[in-house]
Amino acid sequence: MRQVKSFCRICSGTCGTVVTIDDEDRIHAVRGDKEHALTAGYACGKGLAVADMHNRPDRILRPLKRRDDGTFEEISLEQATAEIAQRLSTLIARDGAQSIATYCGTAGTWNMTLMKMVAPFMRAIGSPNVYTCLTIDCSSRVVTAVRLGNWAAGKQRWDGSDVWMMFGTNPMLSITSIAGIPPLNVNKRMKTGRASGLKLIVVDPRRTETAAAADIHARIRPGEDIALIAGMLRIIIDEGLHDADFCARHVDGLDALRAAVDPFTPDYVAARAGMTAEAVTTLAREFGGADKRGCATAGSGLTMSPFSNLADHMIELLNVVCGRYARAGEPVTNPVPIAPARPTEAKVVRLPRWWEDGYKTRADGYGMLFTDEGGELPTSALPDEILQEGPGQIRALFSIGGNPASVFPDQHRTVEALKSLDLLVVIDPLMTNTARMADYIIPPRLMYERVDIPLTTWQQFRIPVPFSQYTPALVEPPAGADVTEEWHFFWDLARRLNRQIVFQGVPLDMETAPSSDELIDLMTQGAQIPMDEIRRYPGGKVFAMQETVREPAPDHADRFDVLPDDVAAELADYLGRAPEPGYDFLLTTRRMRGIHNSVVMGRKGATHNPAYLHSADTAALGVAPGDMVRISSPAGDVTALIAVDDTLSPGTVSISHGRGGLPGDPVDMLRDGTSTSKLVSLARNRERINGMPAMTAIPVRIERCERQGASI
Ligand SMILES: Nc1nc2c(c(=O)[nH]1)N[C@H]1C(S)=C(S)[C@@H](COP(=O)(O)OP(=O)(O)OC[C@H]3O[C@@H](n4cnc5c(=O)[nH]c(N)nc54)[C@H](O)[C@@H]3O)O[C@H]1N2
Ligand SMILES: Nc1nc2c(c(=O)[nH]1)N[C@H]1C(S)=C(S)[C@@H](COP(=O)(O)OP(=O)(O)OC[C@H]3O[C@@H](n4cnc5c(=O)[nH]c(N)nc54)[C@H](O)[C@@H]3O)O[C@H]1N2
Ligand code: SF4
Ligand SMILES: [Mo]
């Protein structure tokens, strides 16, 4: 047995780990690294269960090819890659490069060499059809940065704040980075923040783990956060609780904003958001104040909500009017050791509306989001891009470390699209619902079989100190495995198609593959702390780096635009929207401890996702825990098993996403659970720009039904 330091790459926690490896070079156990500078021993159950993922008996270890009768046969990686390259070549010749698409899911996002290889691969073949789970997760965040403007030095930090307001996020369970609390040993940071006087406010229809630890839990009717924020802004501006100096210097449109939120009186907000008028005023006064430090942040409860772009914009307006950003003279939170040195300035930066110019999807004309490295299209547009016939139709899809059939909104449309493809290649260690439909399944090396560095994107805001880490590959894949290093698979496809990959601005040798370490060196070219130095500290290190936020040049003219025309129009739409008649419950999204989106991690916890209801509602419906109900939305219906959860507000039903079978599957409810994505339609109420349908606050009806083995 030996012990090696590394870090977990399942979520943004990037928890430091110590991995015990047995004499057969197999992972025996994983624990949190107590000496880790950021996470100090914390690791969640999913991270600890990852040894099981490496060794589980159903891990796919050799490529699988679908036979004509739908069964799979094992083939070699060499044969699979050659055949896929051949099929791509035929498709490109027949339908053009645009017929090829990639979708990178969560397991792809946390694999840095892969993450940075997919876009160059797509550029090399000439296809714009790059999709990732980021655009089904927090695409509204990017829309806000563009429409409102972005503060180059970042927001005020958790440490040293007076007040923090979280909407629709539960970081104590999800360890998400977008809640603003650094996703690094959240429990400990929560305690130290609170001990230093930070007042935490959580807005959530459920008394979550995070809400229970907060100073104020404001229960809200799902989907109505916009009303609350508009009401708060009205009070903050009227009572002079905004930062007037900051607004005068950096903000356009404050008067128009005040006029637009005028209908949101405390009484109106109270009626709409299901709270008291006094609560609205209290929340505004608790958050507002030019002399306070802090932040308003939001998670899935808002990024999945109806009007997701507007909801996100409104959250950021709370920060803008109160000036909650890092100012000149303050220390830069994290000058990012692996990035080149560049000054951080206290200024608004305006980005172009990428989605208005440039490539658009054929169906509904959605444009590019996240233009880093050439751009991405909104994931909810992918099914229609596959199904809509005509020039540019997508005919081949690579699904990399994701599970579209289980997690995309509108499972029926998604599955119809996946089944209609000429070529579906799934890179995954498990026989997921998506993999079951694949033409080829390519098994990857797993986390501890790869070298890696922590996610490079947004690092300056996610990690609150100049920390970096490198992990070598700790073990080799199991004996007899024929698995791929994922970036290599795409490099090899490009090689076989005679395409040149340009990686981080450098054309790669297309005859002899680079090593993963060479790619990491390219990704960190010009780093302030050279990668070789970082490699010397196996558990990671906080480097001694200091930088101060600077004043921008005097002629810098960019300002926040708090109420662009399309935001004003969305606010008017929201104001006029009536509840969907005939539905008496609102279904909300949540996460479960042992389940990561569609994947059950470990063998101990529940594998199904019950429908949680308040006991007042189960009593009124005449159902008990374990009973089966039929849940119907305007888009479809599903069956679910009931569990009681009195942390919920009556009138809401809360179910996590990603579980359940494919349409028509016989489903063992206790094992497989329910697919909430069958309750969402891509044909109804989609947002402009990011194309998101509402994946929380979904109007539903609930009826008791006989327990049976099947779910539709
Ligand atoms: N265990 C576990 N951890 C995970 C994941 C997982 O599947 N399992 N997934 C990971 C991923 S990919 C992500 S993106 C992050 C997400 O992390 P979070 O953004 O923290 O997401 P959730 O934990 O689902 O919390 C969403 C909260 O929003 C509330 N909510 C729902 N609708 C509304 C609404 O209309 N208004 C308001 N105010 N609140 C609402 C819900 O009650 C819930 O408490 O978690 C990551 N971590
Ligand atoms: N209704 C509703 N829908 C939602 C959400 C919601 O809150 N509500 N949340 C949305 C969000 S935030 C997200 S991020 C998406 C999640 O969307 P996805 O990322 O598409 O879904 P996951 O289930 O996380 O898929 C991860 C896959 O990676 C595989 N895997 C594990 N390790 C590796 C590896 O090393 N390499 C490779 N190639 N594969 C690996 C796993 O077996 C699994 O199949 O779901 C979205 N859908
Ligand atoms: S919180 Fe859990 S899943 Fe996320 S990085 Fe840490 S151990 Fe891994
Ligand atoms: Mo996510």
Side-chain angles (χ1 to χ4, degrees):
M1 295 275 192
R2 60 197 166 97
Q3 298 200 323
V4 195
K5 290 196 179 194
S6 184
F7 62 93
C8 181
R9 284 148 276 162
I10 295 172
C11 83
S12 48
T14 51
C15 299
T17 53
V18 178
V19 181
T20 308
I21 299 165
D22 68 17
D23 298 337
E24 267 108 59
D25 203 35
R26 281 162 34 115
I27 296 179
H28 173 72
V30 177
R31 65 177 163 81
D33 176 7
K34 289 203 178 71
E35 291 163 2
H36 196 265
L38 298 177
T39 52
Y42 178 82
C44 79
K46 296 178 296 173
L48 301 180
V50 86
D52 184 60
M53 178 71 118
H54 280 246
N55 301 323
R56 55 196 275 176
D58 59 347
R59 174 175 171 189
I60 300 171
L61 289 172
R62 278 168 291 283
L64 296 173
K65 177 184 180 182
R66 172 186 296 280
R67 297 195 188 97
D68 288 341
D69 65 1
T71 59
F72 287 101
E73 65 179 306
E74 280 187 4
I75 58 173
S76 68
L77 183 60
E78 167 66 26
Q79 185 189 339
T81 319
E83 289 184 13
I84 293 165
Q86 185 53 52
R87 290 180 68 170
L88 289 182
S89 172
T90 308
L91 272 174
I92 294 170
R94 192 189 75 190
D95 298 329
Q98 209 183 318
S99 63
I100 318 295
T102 49
Y103 166 72
C104 219
T106 53
T109 313
W110 296 103
N111 175 346
M112 278 312 99
T113 44
L114 163 71
M115 186 64 180
K116 298 286 179 193
M117 184 59 86
V118 174
F121 168 77
M122 292 296 273
R123 273 202 299 274
I125 64 169
S127 171
N129 282 311
V130 178
Y131 296 84
T132 76
C133 62
L134 276 179
T135 59
I136 204 73
D137 177 332
C138 53
S139 47
S140 48
R141 190 64 37 100
V142 181
V143 176
T144 299
V146 172
R147 296 201 295 187
L148 174 63
N150 196 30
W151 188 258
K155 296 180 201 179
Q156 292 178 346
R157 307 189 252 175
W158 176 264
D159 293 322
S161 276
D162 304 300
V163 60
W164 206 275
M165 193 159 182
M166 293 180 185
F167 290 77
T169 177
N170 185 15
M172 285 183 78
L173 189 146
S174 67
I175 322 290
T176 180
S177 57
I178 62 176
I181 177 168
L184 313 155
N185 203 336
V186 170
N187 294 357
K188 192 168 162 209
R189 270 167 214 277
M190 191 74 88
K191 281 197 196 108
T192 50
R194 303 283 312 289
S196 68
L198 177 146
K199 190 169 247 184
L200 177 63
I201 307 170
V202 172
V203 182
D204 199 300
R206 192 183 140 229
R207 189 171 172 81
T208 57
E209 291 77 356
T210 312
D215 296 273
I216 301 177
H217 170 212
R219 276 190 194 278
I220 189 155
R221 180 171 296 138
E224 303 297 358
D225 300 78
I226 292 163
L228 170 61
I229 303 165
M232 286 174 65
L233 287 167
R234 188 179 186 275
I235 296 167
I236 287 172
I237 298 171
D238 285 357
E239 297 191 0
L241 299 171
H242 62 303
D243 187 333
D245 293 342
F246 182 84
C247 291
R249 187 158 169 208
H250 298 291
V251 173
D252 279 338
L254 195 64
D255 292 341
L257 174 65
R258 173 61 189 84
V261 296
D262 198 53
F264 294 90
T265 61
D267 285 334
Y268 176 82
V269 174
R272 194 145 174 182
M275 50 178 58
T276 63
E278 293 72 46
V280 180
T281 309
T282 305
L283 291 171
R285 290 181 183 156
E286 289 287 356
F287 184 79
D291 52 347
K292 286 185 198 157
R293 293 181 69 86
C295 208
T297 56
S300 309
L302 267 72
T303 59
M304 306 284 149
S305 73
F307 295 96
S308 53
N309 292 328
L310 175 64
D312 196 81
H313 189 95
M314 298 295 286
I315 294 278
E316 206 49 44
L317 288 184
L318 285 173
N319 296 323
V320 167
V321 299
C322 296
R324 300 281 164 79
Y325 297 100
R327 307 295 179 86
E330 293 182 13
V332 171
T333 306
N334 175 4
V336 188
I338 58 166
R342 68 177 154 182
T344 305
E345 292 179 334
K347 65 179 182 191
V348 178
V349 177
R350 298 309 311 244
L351 302 163
R353 288 183 169 232
W354 298 304
W355 55 83
E356 287 181 358
D357 304 312
Y359 185 78
K360 300 246 173 64
T361 63
R362 297 162 317 124
D364 300 317
Y366 293 108
M368 290 283 178
L369 297 167
F370 289 100
T371 64
D372 182 31
E373 306 239 322
E376 284 180 31
L377 294 160
T379 285
S380 60
L382 182 52
D384 286 344
E385 286 300 278
I386 295 171
L387 286 166
Q388 183 172 305
E389 290 176 7
Q393 185 179 9
I394 293 173
R395 300 308 311 144
L397 174 69
F398 291 88
S399 170
I400 313 148
N403 192 1
S406 290
V407 306
F408 279 16
D410 200 335
Q411 193 188 52
H412 290 284
R413 186 93 177 138
T414 303
V415 169
E416 185 192 348
L418 295 173
K419 282 189 170 157
S420 77
L421 286 163
D422 286 342
L423 176 65
L424 173 60
V425 179
V426 171
I427 309 183
D428 207 291
L430 299 178
M431 186 55 82
T432 63
N433 280 338
T434 308
R436 285 165 56 202
M437 289 181 274
D439 297 294
Y440 295 89
I441 304 172
I442 306 294
R445 279 180 174 254
L446 294 185
M447 195 161 93
Y448 290 122
E449 296 162 355
R450 304 191 303 257
V451 304
D452 223 330
I453 53 174
L455 180 69
T456 49
T457 323
W458 297 328
Q459 202 169 96
Q460 65 273 42
F461 306 125
R462 206 172 53 79
I463 301 182
V465 283
F467 172 86
S468 204
Q469 186 164 7
Y470 163 86
T471 178
L474 307 188
V475 291
E476 279 301 307
D482 195 6
V483 295
T484 186
E485 176 76 72
E486 293 175 64
W487 66 260
H488 185 273
F489 178 69
F490 289 98
W491 175 87
D492 200 16
L493 284 177
R495 178 181 71 85
R496 289 166 196 264
L497 292 166
N498 290 320
R499 304 298 168 113
Q500 174 66 55
I501 295 226
V502 179
F503 187 88
Q504 304 287 308
V506 177
L508 294 183
D509 183 337
M510 296 309 292
E511 272 165 31
T512 313
S515 68
S516 302
D517 275 304
E518 282 165 349
L519 294 182
I520 286 184
D521 288 341
L522 287 176
M523 281 154 57
T524 54
Q525 293 163 80
Q528 295 167 84
I529 309 288
M531 206 58 229
D532 278 339
E533 173 73 4
I534 295 168
R535 286 189 179 98
R536 290 179 47 217
Y537 304 96
K541 184 176 159 65
V542 178
F543 292 92
M545 298 171 80
Q546 254 181 348
E547 204 195 307
T548 305
V549 178
R550 300 188 198 168
E551 280 289 354
D555 59 348
H556 182 80
D558 285 355
R559 292 160 73 88
F560 286 114
D561 183 0
V562 291
L563 198 69
D565 291 347
D566 47 359
V567 174
E570 285 161 27
L571 191 60
D573 270 4
Y574 169 77
L575 199 58
R577 191 200 54 178
E580 195 100 32
Y583 296 91
D584 38 11
F585 283 89
L586 288 168
L587 184 136
T588 56
T589 190
R590 74 185 296 150
R591 257 102 189 130
M592 288 177 65
R593 257 190 213 290
I595 301 181
H596 192 74
N597 301 312
S598 67
V599 187
V600 177
M601 312 282 298
R603 306 256 176 96
K604 291 194 195 122
T607 63
H608 80 293
N609 51 347
Y612 291 98
L613 280 169
H614 191 276
S615 54
D617 288 330
T618 53
L621 289 164
V623 292
D627 282 354
M628 187 138 103
V629 289
R630 179 164 298 279
I631 303 181
S632 325
S633 77
D637 56 324
V638 294
T639 50
L641 296 180
I642 288 296
V644 167
D645 180 357
D646 280 344
T647 65
L648 282 166
S649 308
T652 60
V653 49
S654 153
I655 314 183
S656 73
H657 64 287
R659 303 294 300 150
L662 295 177
D665 271 352
V667 169
D668 173 345
M669 290 295 294
L670 262 181
R671 188 195 58 202
D672 304 320
T674 299
S675 163
T676 55
S677 106
K678 292 190 178 97
L679 297 170
V680 181
S681 165
L682 284 174
R684 301 181 87 255
N685 297 339
R686 279 171 70 192
E687 288 304 295
R688 291 304 315 156
I689 306 177
N690 70 351
M692 288 282 282
M695 290 149 80
T696 192
I698 304 167
V700 294
R701 262 192 307 270
I702 305 178
E703 304 151 283
R704 186 160 198 234
C705 69
E706 284 313 306
R707 184 142 172 189
Q708 57 198 29
S711 156
I712 60 154

